[in-house]
Amino acid sequence: MSTVKLTVNGKSVSATVEDRTLLVHLLRENLNLTGTHVGCDTSQCGACIVHIDGKAVKSCTTLVGQIDGANVTTIEGIAKGDQLHPMQAAFRDNHGLQCGYCTPGMIMSAIDIVNRHASDLDEETVRQELEGNICRCTGYHNIVKSVLDAAGRMKVAQAAE
Amino acid sequence: MGVEGIGARVARKEDKRFITGRGRYVDDVKIVGLTHAHFIRSPHAHAKVKGIDASAAKDMPGVVDVLTAQQLVDDKIGNLICGWAVSSKDGSPMKMGAWPAMAPDTVRFVGQAVAVVIAETKNQAKDAAEAVVVEYEELPAVSSMTAALASGAPQLHPEAPGNVVYDWSIGDEKLTKDAFSKAANIVSLDLTNNRLVPNAMEPRAAVAEYDEAEEHFTLHTTSQNPHVARLVLSAFYNVAQEHKLRVIAPDVGGGFGSKIFIYPEEMVALWASKKVRRPVKWTGDRTEAFLTDAHGRDHISHAEMAFDTNNKILGLRVKTHANFGAYMSLFSSSVPTYLYATLLSGQYNIPTIYAEVMGVYTNTTPVDAYRGAGRPEASYLVERLMETSARQLKVDPAELRRINFVTQFPHQTPVIMAYDIGDFGASLDAALKAIDYAGFPARKAKAKAAGKLRGLGFSCYIEACGIAPSKAVGSLGAGVGLWESAEVRVNPVGTIEVLTGSHSHGQGHETTFAQLVAGRLGISVDQVQIVHGDTDKVQFGMGTYGSRSAAVGMSAIFKAMEKVEAKAKKIAAHLLEASEGDIVIENGEFKVTGTDKAIALPMVALAAYTAHNLPDGMEPGLKEGAFYDPTNFTFPAGAYICEVEIDPGTGKVDIVDFVAVDDFGRLINPMIVEGQVHGGLAQGIGQALLEGAVYDDNGQPVTASFMDYAMPRADDVPSFRVSHTTTLCPGNPLGVKGCGEAGAIGSSPAVINAITDALGHNRIEMPATPGRVWEALQLQQAAE
Ligand code: FES
Ligand code: FES
């Protein structure tokens, strides 16, 4: 067992967990943050992606004990109150989701993609960068559209800040 | 019609919860006292279970109990059923072995459960499972149909000699033989339709709870049809009585057919919740999904088409072997028969067809309906054959199709189906224009100059949806009716709830169904709530599969709405002192035509519930229900064209363009329809290029994870060009045909036809991986 301190969606959390506890389990079982999903057992699907210190990470492959002191953001933590994150809004407006199961991971991954590709984001880059996220419903067409749309919106939002 | 009515691209009402992480899937359900189940599964494809020793496991921390197959038998829990009776040519009923939810004496595929550990936490259940000792005596296994049908092959079930479930046929053998004897040309083809794993992203899960005082069960489960689950669990499995069982299918993360069936794990969880007197949760992991979710497709076929001197089709002859895996799953028997062979006429005038289908047991995961279910196999066969024929007969593939298209409707095919309406030429024309067919030779030449091989392939598919007229399917052996129900409740304040037996697991019903109601009344979709997926709320329903929710589910809502509107008009006429016939509904108001007299919907609703001033003899309230049973299948159809480029150095296939033109009848929400097509196309392209479940000769699955089974990723598929032509379906009040499966049905033949065009020969099977394509290219060079 080990005790770790984390910041999750802006709140400090302290948890004593078995050494084998994965971040996704801490989020879902202990913190009731069930928006982060599990879609596989081989670190392939990306349904579990969260941000650790601002970077997209697969929480199914992260031991809680590895990230003492980290700042974790989940899908539940990206909207500002009632105001959706531009990526969330773009997924809704472009029909970037169907069953919604892959969606939290897609959105968290996509925000990171846009952050890393300030100016050079095109369809091909988005498709390559989404390699670690599997969606069985949408055929990716509208996900790619959503990400490109959000990239524009995020730029506008940043300029306004 | 309001701006949010039928035909509007309304953003989805359900999205907010999904994009903010507030969706509620089965694994999100938490109950006080919850325990966790982990199944012990066979590592062998075929073995006798000699004994199970759970004594050490029972003493491990947190273990509540270890339940074994024998206890299921002792409790007289029923075996899993197959709900569609199909007879062989000789009239004998299909031959089926028993499928117990956990195997007491013999296991017949890798992953079949023999026992289950129930513990306080998931990890404790998994730890204890390691300590359960199961003694097996291995038996020889058959993993392919060829091996299963060989003489002296190991037998799976004593009930099914030779591992044959049925030997079925459809059509007229003699007439077809005569047609072939008169043929100017005969084209033949051997094809394999590869086995697929549905892989909805949410694994299957169940949370079962037993209330001792009430003797009542609640089951949260990943189901496309919770009412069917309740019916089967009570009527056949003997786990709970129907009125003492509530089944809830909350948010479900994709289904594609795989969540129609009532699987062993869900049933065992329910049974176990009473056994251990604690709520039980089971959530499958991805490996379990690969091992135990019903797989799809897996056909081997030989097909021949006969043509006259004018290249008109004279007849079609097909022989198919269909792999059912180790047990007959719920609707498995119907998939390679009534959902497959009845579509072998494609979009064409074919005077006579004869098809034989042999269903075969193997030591593999059971096979059942997967997106399209039988219809993708039919369209793959017919469309590969058409393309092959065009090349052999040296006719343009578009032209060969066009001269054989059905153009008069209704059209009775020789294989049961009666096509109600369509315009196949219109879809093909639109697709040819979109792809710039005339410009293809130039594009091909340009690619060649760059060292690439370009190819173009067609697929003019047709499918039967709107499943299905109850009487018709009953006469073909179905164990259930396939109508749908709806209830429309107008609340006293004028907001509306629609209860439907359809289930939404990605299709967007909470939006499209609301659009129907909102459009009719001229109100906002926000005033309308769609309630589904809970047997305590919705009285009954047949659920969602076979692209049936618009054509059947919405038609039921339409009927209920007509009744609600008729009553509301009577009330409005009474309150406005006008005649009922003069009342029209506009913008949420009941108006007297030609006057400025009007009363708003909330006032009519309130009047219905206060009942202070209703017409004489009228019952209070404003709520109506309806059952809708379709009169025919619907027939979505379309033309897909795929253009590929092959790198001869690596064999890698790039889809450079994909055009899909579909005729779905009336579109409720074009944005959602396009999304359904995109998803289907990716699955069909996945089948053509990437996916395939592989077993070794001993029945060991070698593709049981996302590391080994290639799912389409974002960079494997292109952006699609999707458009529509329209003929309104005459069979239902909305004129809709259904759009959920078309993409998966039509796309794989288009891709493979494009590859064979680029290769210049036909010797390629799905999935056309770079390795296979490269080998096919070497064949070509060797021949040259
Ligand atoms: S659950 Fe983390 S990658 Fe699939
Ligand atoms: S929306 Fe269902 S898996 Fe992506």
Side-chain angles (χ1 to χ4, degrees):
Chain A
M1 301 291 270
S2 49
T3 302
V4 288
K5 286 194 191 331
L6 301 171
T7 307
V8 179
N9 297 334
K11 291 195 197 104
S12 22
V13 171
S14 162
T16 305
V17 294
E18 276 186 274
D19 292 342
R20 63 176 165 176
T21 305
L22 297 164
L23 176 58
V24 67
H25 293 141
L26 178 81
L27 295 171
R28 291 183 53 81
E29 309 297 330
N30 303 32
L31 305 179
N32 274 323
L33 294 168
T34 54
T36 302
H37 296 150
V38 178
C40 71
D41 35 30
T42 50
S43 203
Q44 291 286 309
C45 77
C48 61
I49 289 179
V50 299
H51 291 176
I52 299 180
D53 298 327
K55 289 202 176 74
V57 175
K58 288 179 171 169
S59 65
C60 73
T61 329
T62 306
L63 293 164
V64 175
Q66 277 176 290
I67 56 161
D68 193 19
N71 195 341
V72 178
T73 308
T74 71
I75 187 72
E76 290 92 343
I78 55 171
K80 292 192 181 123
D82 271 351
Q83 203 198 330
L84 295 175
H85 186 282
M87 190 62 75
Q88 291 172 308
F91 267 69
R92 185 194 54 201
D93 296 347
N94 293 286
H95 189 32
L97 62 146
Q98 291 182 24
C99 78
Y101 198 78
C102 72
T103 311
M106 284 285 177
I107 288 176
M108 298 311 282
S109 184
I111 292 172
D112 185 59
I113 293 170
V114 173
N115 286 341
R116 283 185 290 108
H117 293 269
S119 52
D120 61 335
L121 202 60
D122 56 10
E123 177 178 338
E124 201 185 327
T125 312
V126 173
R127 287 187 181 276
Q128 276 169 6
E129 289 276 353
L130 283 177
E131 173 74 17
N133 289 76
I134 303 179
C135 174
R136 193 54 149 171
C137 297
T138 63
Y140 304 100
H141 183 109
N142 284 340
I143 290 178
V144 173
K145 223 167 123 187
S146 304
V147 179
L148 291 170
D149 181 15
R153 297 187 197 204
M154 282 166 70
K155 243 186 246 164
V156 173
Q158 269 160 9
E161 265 170 20
Chain B
M1 212 139 286
V3 286
E4 296 183 331
I6 287 178
R9 304 176 77 92
V10 180
R12 297 203 319 172
K13 281 158 63 74
E14 46 270 80
D15 282 357
K16 184 156 181 206
R17 65 178 188 271
F18 297 129
I19 56 180
T20 56
R22 265 89 183 176
R24 191 166 181 264
Y25 300 87
V26 174
D27 189 58
D28 303 341
V29 173
K30 284 189 182 154
I31 303 173
V32 178
L34 194 60
T35 64
H36 298 263
H38 186 82
F39 285 87
I40 320 273
R41 301 185 179 282
S42 168
H44 305 296
H46 200 188
K48 287 241 173 286
V49 183
K50 303 300 275 184
I52 300 177
D53 180 2
S55 51
K58 282 187 181 171
D59 290 338
M60 288 184 55
V63 173
V64 177
D65 207 346
V66 180
L67 303 172
T68 62
Q70 190 53 44
Q71 286 168 283
L72 268 181
V73 177
D74 295 344
D75 284 358
K76 302 199 168 39
I77 301 301
N79 291 324
L80 277 78
I81 59 159
C82 178
W84 198 308
V86 173
S87 300
S88 287
K89 288 174 199 163
D90 63 7
S92 63
M94 58 187 189
K95 302 183 174 59
M96 282 199 301
W99 184 8
M102 296 194 288
D105 42 39
T106 309
V107 287
R108 296 183 178 84
F109 66 96
V110 172
Q112 188 170 10
V114 294
V116 62
V117 181
I118 315 283
E120 300 292 341
T121 70
K122 204 172 172 172
N123 277 342
Q124 286 171 334
K126 281 188 181 173
D127 290 345
E130 304 269 323
V132 176
V133 182
V134 186
E135 195 193 328
Y136 296 98
E137 178 192 318
E138 266 193 86
L139 298 170
V142 285
S143 61
S144 70
M145 291 192 277
T146 316
L149 294 173
S151 70
Q155 302 289 296
L156 269 80
H157 300 279
E159 297 85 350
N163 298 318
V164 174
V165 178
Y166 54 59
D167 184 8
W168 176 90
S169 70
I170 192 169
D172 193 320
E173 185 177 14
K174 175 158 186 322
L175 214 60
T176 309
K177 199 172 167 208
D178 292 348
F180 274 78
S181 68
K182 290 187 207 107
N185 287 295
I186 294 173
V187 178
S188 66
L189 191 60
D190 289 298
L191 319 111
T192 302
N193 206 292
N194 43 332
R195 175 186 281 240
L196 302 178
V197 184
N199 275 321
M201 290 313 296
E202 178 205 25
R204 283 189 295 118
V207 177
E209 205 182 351
Y210 179 62
D211 179 331
E212 271 188 72
E214 298 293 329
E215 296 177 359
H216 183 278
F217 292 87
T218 304
L219 177 67
H220 282 81
T221 181
T222 46
S223 174
Q224 301 177 213
N225 34 224
H227 290 88
V228 176
R230 184 174 71 152
L231 173 67
V232 171
L233 285 163
S234 56
F236 299 99
Y237 298 170
N238 198 26
V239 195
Q241 285 181 282
E242 199 166 14
H243 65 305
K244 295 284 190 185
L245 171 60
R246 176 184 185 185
V247 178
I248 302 170
D251 287 327
V252 172
F256 315 112
S258 69
K259 292 173 181 168
I260 297 172
F261 323 116
I262 296 86
Y263 288 90
E265 292 81 4
E266 288 84 328
M267 168 176 165
V268 168
L270 196 61
W271 166 73
S273 71
K274 185 173 174 188
K275 283 282 276 190
V276 303
R277 298 187 181 260
R278 297 267 302 273
V280 174
K281 179 190 271 189
W282 169 75
T283 300
D285 58 28
R286 182 57 53 190
T287 308
E288 287 180 295
F290 274 101
L291 296 181
T292 66
D293 289 5
H295 291 180
R297 321 279 190 256
D298 208 346
H299 284 191
I300 296 174
S301 298
H302 177 75
E304 296 171 293
M305 205 173 244
F307 291 88
D308 70 10
T309 45
N310 299 317
N311 297 327
K312 289 245 189 194
I313 304 167
L314 291 173
L316 171 66
R317 204 152 48 188
V318 175
K319 200 169 173 97
T320 292
H321 287 94
N323 191 345
F324 284 131
Y327 296 97
M328 292 300 286
S329 174
L330 190 63
F331 290 115
S332 56
S333 53
S334 66
V335 175
T337 49
Y338 295 110
L339 296 177
Y340 161 71
T342 55
L343 273 306
L344 286 172
S345 197
Q347 296 189 352
Y348 312 107
N349 258 309
I350 305 183
T352 174
I353 295 175
Y354 181 63
E356 295 166 280
V357 180
M358 183 176 279
V360 183
Y361 275 129
T362 58
N363 291 109
T364 60
T365 299
V367 177
D368 205 324
Y370 165 59
R371 200 173 198 170
R375 290 151 289 162
E377 296 89 316
S379 86
Y380 185 67
L381 182 140
V382 174
E383 290 307 296
R384 285 282 317 272
L385 201 46
M386 288 306 281
E387 203 92 351
T388 305
S389 302
R391 288 176 201 153
Q392 276 186 30
L393 303 173
K394 305 209 181 327
V395 196
D396 178 87
E399 197 47 35
L400 182 69
R401 286 175 169 88
R402 201 188 301 280
I403 59 177
N404 284 289
F405 276 158
V406 170
T407 50
Q408 305 283 322
F409 297 91
H411 171 82
Q412 178 63 53
T413 73
V415 279
I416 298 180
M417 292 298 175
Y419 301 161
D420 52 2
I421 200 162
D423 187 344
F424 307 144
S427 311
L428 180 58
D429 287 342
L432 288 170
K433 190 154 174 247
I435 201 92
D436 178 20
Y437 189 47
F440 176 70
R443 297 196 293 280
K444 191 176 170 89
K446 199 170 159 209
K448 195 170 179 198
K452 299 279 176 71
L453 300 165
R454 228 175 225 246
L456 182 141
F458 293 82
S459 165
C460 293
Y461 77 92
I462 188 163
E463 53 155 335
C465 289
I467 294 174
S470 299
K471 207 171 153 184
V473 292
S475 72
L476 301 177
V480 287
L482 290 170
W483 43 265
E484 195 45 86
S485 81
E487 187 177 314
V488 175
R489 294 179 183 164
V490 184
N491 295 318
V493 292
T495 57
I496 296 177
E497 279 141 25
V498 177
L499 288 77
T500 169
S502 299
H503 186 273
S504 189
H505 33 278
Q507 296 87 344
H509 297 166
E510 290 172 34
T511 305
T512 48
F513 289 12
Q515 282 181 258
L516 165 63
V517 174
R520 289 185 69 89
L521 299 175
I523 59 176
S524 155
V525 288
D526 293 333
Q527 301 288 101
V528 186
Q529 188 74 20
I530 306 300
V531 178
H532 66 100
D534 184 340
T535 60
D536 261 15
K537 293 180 180 164
V538 179
Q539 189 235 333
F540 210 94
M542 298 312 296
T544 291
Y545 39 82
S547 306
R548 69 193 300 272
S549 293
V552 190
M554 281 182 92
S555 294
I557 299 172
F558 180 97
K559 269 184 77 180
M561 278 300 291
E562 282 188 326
K563 295 186 197 174
V564 162
E565 288 162 23
K567 183 170 181 182
K569 278 183 181 173
K570 282 202 178 80
I571 299 171
H574 178 74
L575 296 173
L576 294 169
E577 295 176 343
S579 122
E580 198 189 316
D582 291 339
I583 304 287
V584 291
I585 308 175
E586 267 171 31
N587 300 325
E589 287 187 328
F590 292 76
K591 293 182 177 158
V592 183
T593 42
T595 74
D596 58 1
K597 285 210 284 184
I599 181 168
L601 170 66
M603 299 312 292
V604 174
L606 191 63
Y609 286 94
T610 59
H612 295 163
N613 183 15
L614 290 177
D616 279 348
M618 180 183 273
E619 284 180 19
L622 193 50
K623 174 192 98 161
E624 300 287 346
F627 284 71
Y628 175 78
D629 198 351
T631 50
N632 190 359
F633 293 88
T634 64
F635 297 95
Y640 291 178
I641 304 180
C642 177
E643 201 166 312
V644 300
E645 208 166 81
I646 298 175
D647 179 339
T650 62
K652 179 154 187 330
V653 176
D654 270 329
I655 295 180
V656 287
D657 203 355
F658 200 106
V659 165
V661 181
D662 297 285
D663 179 355
F664 295 139
R666 181 170 278 120
L667 307 184
I668 308 295
N669 182 328
M671 175 191 83
I672 289 179
V673 171
E674 288 158 13
Q676 290 293 306
V677 175
H678 297 154
L681 291 177
Q683 289 181 356
I685 291 170
Q687 167 163 35
L689 296 182
L690 303 160
E691 298 179 44
V694 178
Y695 287 84
D696 75 8
D697 290 345
N698 300 317
Q700 286 293 333
V702 291
T703 49
S705 83
F706 286 153
M707 310 278 280
D708 310 297
Y709 183 95
M711 292 281 281
R713 316 248 175 165
D715 56 358
D716 293 315
V717 289
S719 279
F720 306 110
R721 296 201 284 142
V722 174
S723 62
H724 301 97
T725 55
T726 306
T727 56
L728 294 180
C729 177
N732 62 61
L734 293 162
V736 298
K737 298 184 183 179
C739 64
E741 296 163 297
I745 292 169
S747 54
S748 13
V751 177
I752 298 297
N753 284 338
I755 294 173
T756 56
D757 184 40
L759 288 174
H761 68 76
N762 230 345
R763 291 185 298 279
I764 188 84
E765 293 284 5
M766 299 192 290
T769 56
R772 282 187 175 171
V773 173
W774 189 84
E775 275 174 26
L777 280 163
Q778 311 317 304
L779 272 179
Q780 174 70 353
Q781 277 161 11
E784 271 166 9

